[in-house]
Amino acid sequence: MTTSTPAKKTGLVLFLLAFSQFIISVDLNIVYVALPDIGTALGFSAQSLQWVVSAYAVAFGGLLLFGGRAVDRIGARRLFMTGLAFYAVSSLVGGLATTQGVLIGARLFQGVGGALLFPAVLALIATSFEGSQRNKAFAAWGAAGSLGLAAGALLGGVLTDLVSWRWIFFINIPLALIALLPAPGAIRPDGPANLSKGFDIPAALLSTIGVSAIVTGLVTGPEEGWASPLALGSLIVGAVLLIAFFITEAKTANPLMPLRLLKNRPLVVAMAVLFVFQTALAGAYYTFTTYVQPVLEYTAIQAGLAFLPLTLVSIIGSGKLAPKFMERYGMRATLSTGMVVNGIGIAATILGMSVGGSFYALLPGSIIWGIGGGLVFVSVFASASSGVGPEEQGVASAMASTSQQVGGAVGLAFLVAIANSTFSGTYAEAAKADILSGLHLAGYVGAGLLVLGGILALALKKDSPSATVKVEGSDLSESEKTPQPAIG
């Protein structure tokens, strides 16, 4: 049952929750423009450098469902504070890292922090606010997330260029403390922990290790050879563990992911589209970063600024255009159109990449890319939550979010392998024309996947923009059918 937060604390609670989502979004984006400096400092190869991004995504995506269940069992405030503490400690370790293993380990623990913090924030919004105040709180949550993406790209460039790449990690420490220190006095205490139903830890371990093994195989395959024991063995082990995950979920009484929800067509289509979308998006971000830095030789600050038009237009697409498109054309049309427009934008951006190119050649494609991305982000989560009962909205959205994070990790490994197939060694050793050739290939493959994802979105049932949505025999009004993100 929802209990309102006292009025005098409402503003502070909303700030803490929105600011925490800002931290999560910053951490997703801040590392991209620092990748070249990190690779040089710690000796990453062009192929293995992606682990700085993928380690976070694998831990986040693999443990997100577990984090949601932990929030239900242990308490949202406890997990909120634990997640922030994970961020602070792992960021300190990452900033001090002198080896690849330590840095990747720190990124893994940052992902664990995100998997705990993300569902805790959403649960606290749902239980701390009522009615229109709750809607405003979710709007503030979404705006903070979008702002974090923009700030992450710029902040990463500024810190890397003016201080050191290590400060993209150190900056998380004061940010986490800003949210962590006032939390005990501002956020309502949790009730007693309910540990009687357990957490389905075997399933959490199977899914996380399984995905990690598959990503390991995809990352090492191009360097070690696809038939090598490490690459082939990792892929086989990963597949076996994920099969075991589904078997475990079918037999357990309290699964992380109830398999009966896989019969829900809108949810399954949304998960598939999100997987494709994040696959292409992660590869496109990596491609963009690699082009403007090793090829155009931008500084980290310049690279961060180059990301801003894309991110700002995406905010407009999600905040202004998507609601209007959904109201007029429905979820299916909006999602399909967004995917295709996103693919066209990335293809246009790749087309503007040349050895002697400039930022202005990238701008038209970036704008189209951002509009399409904004349409997709809103409509895909609306699709995931449609047709699911109110008591399962959280797990449905968590399943979609997990598909998004895992798609990013697997897709990045896949597209980076394509991008690096045209040269050997480091970016500094390779000819710019060879680097660019691989970036073109990876970018066009990603754009093609998005167009296919747009076609896949048509598998959704055609919806009437003004019609109510049927959920387990009840008609939901427009205000009631608004999708809420994962609570777990």
Short mmCIF file of all heavy atoms in Angstrom, two decimals, residues 189-223:
data_model
loop_
_atom_site.label_atom_id
_atom_site.label_comp_id
_atom_site.label_asym_id
_atom_site.label_seq_id
_atom_site.Cartn_x
_atom_site.Cartn_y
_atom_site.Cartn_z
N PRO A 189 11.83 4.86 6.45
CA PRO A 189 12.47 3.56 6.72
C PRO A 189 11.68 2.40 6.14
O PRO A 189 10.45 2.45 6.02
CB PRO A 189 12.51 3.49 8.26
CG PRO A 189 12.43 4.91 8.70
CD PRO A 189 11.55 5.61 7.69
N ASP A 190 12.38 1.34 5.79
CA ASP A 190 11.74 0.12 5.31
C ASP A 190 11.14 -0.65 6.48
O ASP A 190 11.55 -0.50 7.63
CB ASP A 190 12.77 -0.79 4.61
CG ASP A 190 13.36 -0.14 3.38
OD1 ASP A 190 12.59 0.42 2.57
OD2 ASP A 190 14.60 -0.18 3.22
N GLY A 191 10.21 -1.49 6.15
CA GLY A 191 9.69 -2.41 7.14
C GLY A 191 10.65 -3.58 7.33
O GLY A 191 11.74 -3.61 6.76
N PRO A 192 10.26 -4.58 8.12
CA PRO A 192 11.13 -5.74 8.32
C PRO A 192 11.40 -6.46 7.00
O PRO A 192 10.52 -6.55 6.14
CB PRO A 192 10.31 -6.63 9.27
CG PRO A 192 9.33 -5.71 9.91
CD PRO A 192 9.01 -4.66 8.90
N ALA A 193 12.62 -6.93 6.82
CA ALA A 193 12.97 -7.68 5.62
C ALA A 193 12.19 -8.99 5.57
O ALA A 193 11.98 -9.64 6.59
CB ALA A 193 14.47 -7.95 5.59
N ASN A 194 11.75 -9.36 4.38
CA ASN A 194 11.02 -10.61 4.18
C ASN A 194 11.90 -11.57 3.39
O ASN A 194 11.96 -11.52 2.16
CB ASN A 194 9.71 -10.33 3.42
CG ASN A 194 8.93 -11.60 3.15
OD1 ASN A 194 9.21 -12.66 3.73
ND2 ASN A 194 7.96 -11.51 2.26
N LEU A 195 12.60 -12.42 4.09
CA LEU A 195 13.54 -13.34 3.46
C LEU A 195 12.97 -14.74 3.27
O LEU A 195 13.68 -15.64 2.81
CB LEU A 195 14.83 -13.42 4.29
CG LEU A 195 15.54 -12.09 4.56
CD1 LEU A 195 16.77 -12.31 5.42
CD2 LEU A 195 15.90 -11.40 3.26
N SER A 196 11.70 -14.91 3.59
CA SER A 196 11.12 -16.26 3.56
C SER A 196 11.02 -16.83 2.15
O SER A 196 11.13 -18.04 1.96
CB SER A 196 9.73 -16.25 4.20
OG SER A 196 8.87 -15.35 3.50
N LYS A 197 10.81 -15.97 1.15
CA LYS A 197 10.64 -16.45 -0.22
C LYS A 197 11.95 -16.57 -0.99
O LYS A 197 11.98 -17.08 -2.10
CB LYS A 197 9.68 -15.52 -0.99
CG LYS A 197 8.25 -15.56 -0.45
CD LYS A 197 7.35 -14.68 -1.29
CE LYS A 197 5.92 -14.73 -0.79
NZ LYS A 197 5.00 -13.89 -1.60
N GLY A 198 13.03 -16.06 -0.43
CA GLY A 198 14.32 -16.18 -1.10
C GLY A 198 14.46 -15.27 -2.30
O GLY A 198 13.60 -14.44 -2.59
N PHE A 199 15.57 -15.45 -3.05
CA PHE A 199 15.90 -14.54 -4.15
C PHE A 199 16.14 -15.25 -5.47
O PHE A 199 16.47 -14.62 -6.45
CB PHE A 199 17.16 -13.74 -3.81
CG PHE A 199 17.01 -12.88 -2.60
CD1 PHE A 199 17.55 -13.26 -1.39
CD2 PHE A 199 16.33 -11.68 -2.67
CE1 PHE A 199 17.41 -12.46 -0.27
CE2 PHE A 199 16.18 -10.88 -1.56
CZ PHE A 199 16.73 -11.27 -0.35
N ASP A 200 16.03 -16.57 -5.49
CA ASP A 200 16.35 -17.32 -6.71
C ASP A 200 17.78 -17.00 -7.16
O ASP A 200 18.03 -16.63 -8.31
CB ASP A 200 15.36 -16.99 -7.82
CG ASP A 200 15.38 -18.02 -8.94
OD1 ASP A 200 16.06 -19.05 -8.78
OD2 ASP A 200 14.74 -17.79 -9.98
N ILE A 201 18.70 -17.12 -6.19
CA ILE A 201 20.11 -16.82 -6.48
C ILE A 201 20.68 -17.70 -7.59
O ILE A 201 21.43 -17.21 -8.44
CB ILE A 201 20.94 -16.93 -5.19
CG1 ILE A 201 20.55 -15.79 -4.23
CG2 ILE A 201 22.44 -16.88 -5.50
CD1 ILE A 201 21.27 -15.83 -2.90
N PRO A 202 20.34 -19.00 -7.66
CA PRO A 202 20.87 -19.81 -8.77
C PRO A 202 20.55 -19.22 -10.14
O PRO A 202 21.41 -19.19 -11.03
CB PRO A 202 20.20 -21.17 -8.57
CG PRO A 202 19.95 -21.23 -7.10
CD PRO A 202 19.58 -19.84 -6.71
N ALA A 203 19.32 -18.73 -10.32
CA ALA A 203 18.94 -18.15 -11.61
C ALA A 203 19.73 -16.88 -11.88
O ALA A 203 20.16 -16.63 -13.02
CB ALA A 203 17.44 -17.86 -11.63
N ALA A 204 19.94 -16.05 -10.86
CA ALA A 204 20.71 -14.82 -11.05
C ALA A 204 22.15 -15.14 -11.47
O ALA A 204 22.70 -14.50 -12.36
CB ALA A 204 20.71 -14.00 -9.75
N LEU A 205 22.74 -16.15 -10.82
CA LEU A 205 24.11 -16.53 -11.17
C LEU A 205 24.18 -17.12 -12.57
O LEU A 205 25.09 -16.81 -13.35
CB LEU A 205 24.65 -17.53 -10.14
CG LEU A 205 24.88 -16.99 -8.73
CD1 LEU A 205 25.27 -18.12 -7.78
CD2 LEU A 205 25.95 -15.91 -8.73
N LEU A 206 23.22 -17.98 -12.90
CA LEU A 206 23.22 -18.62 -14.22
C LEU A 206 23.09 -17.58 -15.33
O LEU A 206 23.80 -17.65 -16.34
CB LEU A 206 22.09 -19.63 -14.31
CG LEU A 206 22.25 -20.93 -13.52
CD1 LEU A 206 20.95 -21.73 -13.51
CD2 LEU A 206 23.38 -21.77 -14.11
N SER A 207 22.17 -16.62 -15.16
CA SER A 207 21.96 -15.63 -16.22
C SER A 207 23.17 -14.71 -16.36
O SER A 207 23.63 -14.42 -17.48
CB SER A 207 20.70 -14.81 -15.93
OG SER A 207 20.84 -14.08 -14.72
N THR A 208 23.72 -14.25 -15.25
CA THR A 208 24.85 -13.32 -15.31
C THR A 208 26.10 -13.99 -15.86
O THR A 208 26.77 -13.45 -16.77
CB THR A 208 25.15 -12.76 -13.90
OG1 THR A 208 23.97 -12.14 -13.39
CG2 THR A 208 26.26 -11.72 -13.98
N ILE A 209 26.44 -15.18 -15.35
CA ILE A 209 27.64 -15.88 -15.82
C ILE A 209 27.44 -16.34 -17.27
O ILE A 209 28.38 -16.30 -18.08
CB ILE A 209 27.97 -17.06 -14.90
CG1 ILE A 209 28.27 -16.56 -13.49
CG2 ILE A 209 29.17 -17.84 -15.43
CD1 ILE A 209 28.45 -17.67 -12.46
N GLY A 210 26.23 -16.76 -17.61
CA GLY A 210 25.95 -17.19 -18.97
C GLY A 210 26.15 -16.08 -19.98
O GLY A 210 26.80 -16.27 -21.02
N VAL A 211 25.59 -14.91 -19.69
CA VAL A 211 25.76 -13.76 -20.58
C VAL A 211 27.23 -13.35 -20.64
O VAL A 211 27.77 -13.05 -21.72
CB VAL A 211 24.87 -12.59 -20.13
CG1 VAL A 211 25.23 -11.32 -20.91
CG2 VAL A 211 23.41 -12.92 -20.32
N SER A 212 27.90 -13.34 -19.50
CA SER A 212 29.33 -12.97 -19.46
C SER A 212 30.15 -13.91 -20.33
O SER A 212 31.08 -13.48 -21.03
CB SER A 212 29.84 -12.99 -18.02
OG SER A 212 29.14 -12.09 -17.21
N ALA A 213 29.84 -15.21 -20.27
CA ALA A 213 30.59 -16.18 -21.07
C ALA A 213 30.38 -15.95 -22.56
O ALA A 213 31.34 -16.02 -23.35
CB ALA A 213 30.16 -17.60 -20.68
N ILE A 214 29.16 -15.65 -22.96
CA ILE A 214 28.90 -15.40 -24.38
C ILE A 214 29.62 -14.14 -24.85
O ILE A 214 30.23 -14.12 -25.93
CB ILE A 214 27.38 -15.29 -24.62
CG1 ILE A 214 26.74 -16.68 -24.51
CG2 ILE A 214 27.08 -14.69 -25.99
CD1 ILE A 214 25.25 -16.70 -24.67
N VAL A 215 29.58 -13.09 -24.05
CA VAL A 215 30.29 -11.86 -24.41
C VAL A 215 31.79 -12.12 -24.48
O VAL A 215 32.49 -11.63 -25.38
CB VAL A 215 29.97 -10.73 -23.42
CG1 VAL A 215 30.82 -9.50 -23.71
CG2 VAL A 215 28.50 -10.37 -23.50
N THR A 216 32.32 -12.91 -23.56
CA THR A 216 33.74 -13.26 -23.59
C THR A 216 34.10 -13.95 -24.90
O THR A 216 35.13 -13.65 -25.53
CB THR A 216 34.10 -14.17 -22.40
OG1 THR A 216 33.84 -13.48 -21.18
CG2 THR A 216 35.57 -14.57 -22.45
N GLY A 217 33.26 -14.89 -25.32
CA GLY A 217 33.51 -15.57 -26.58
C GLY A 217 33.49 -14.63 -27.77
O GLY A 217 34.35 -14.72 -28.66
N LEU A 218 32.54 -13.70 -27.78
CA LEU A 218 32.46 -12.74 -28.88
C LEU A 218 33.63 -11.77 -28.88
O LEU A 218 34.11 -11.35 -29.94
CB LEU A 218 31.13 -11.97 -28.79
CG LEU A 218 29.85 -12.77 -29.07
CD1 LEU A 218 28.63 -11.94 -28.75
CD2 LEU A 218 29.82 -13.23 -30.51
N VAL A 219 34.10 -11.40 -27.69
CA VAL A 219 35.21 -10.45 -27.59
C VAL A 219 36.54 -11.10 -27.99
O VAL A 219 37.35 -10.50 -28.70
CB VAL A 219 35.30 -9.88 -26.16
CG1 VAL A 219 36.59 -9.09 -25.98
CG2 VAL A 219 34.10 -8.99 -25.86
N THR A 220 36.76 -12.32 -27.54
CA THR A 220 38.06 -12.97 -27.77
C THR A 220 38.14 -13.68 -29.12
O THR A 220 39.24 -13.96 -29.60
CB THR A 220 38.35 -13.99 -26.66
OG1 THR A 220 37.29 -14.96 -26.60
CG2 THR A 220 38.45 -13.29 -25.31
N GLY A 221 36.99 -14.00 -29.73
CA GLY A 221 37.00 -14.72 -31.00
C GLY A 221 37.85 -14.10 -32.08
O GLY A 221 38.67 -14.79 -32.71
N PRO A 222 37.72 -12.78 -32.35
CA PRO A 222 38.52 -12.18 -33.41
C PRO A 222 40.02 -12.25 -33.17
O PRO A 222 40.81 -12.31 -34.12
CB PRO A 222 38.03 -10.72 -33.42
CG PRO A 222 36.65 -10.78 -32.87
CD PRO A 222 36.71 -11.86 -31.82
N GLU A 223 40.46 -12.20 -31.91
CA GLU A 223 41.89 -12.23 -31.60
C GLU A 223 42.43 -13.65 -31.47
O GLU A 223 43.49 -13.98 -32.00
CB GLU A 223 42.17 -11.46 -30.29
CG GLU A 223 42.06 -9.96 -30.44
CD GLU A 223 42.47 -9.24 -29.16
OE1 GLU A 223 42.16 -9.75 -28.07
OE2 GLU A 223 43.12 -8.19 -29.27
#
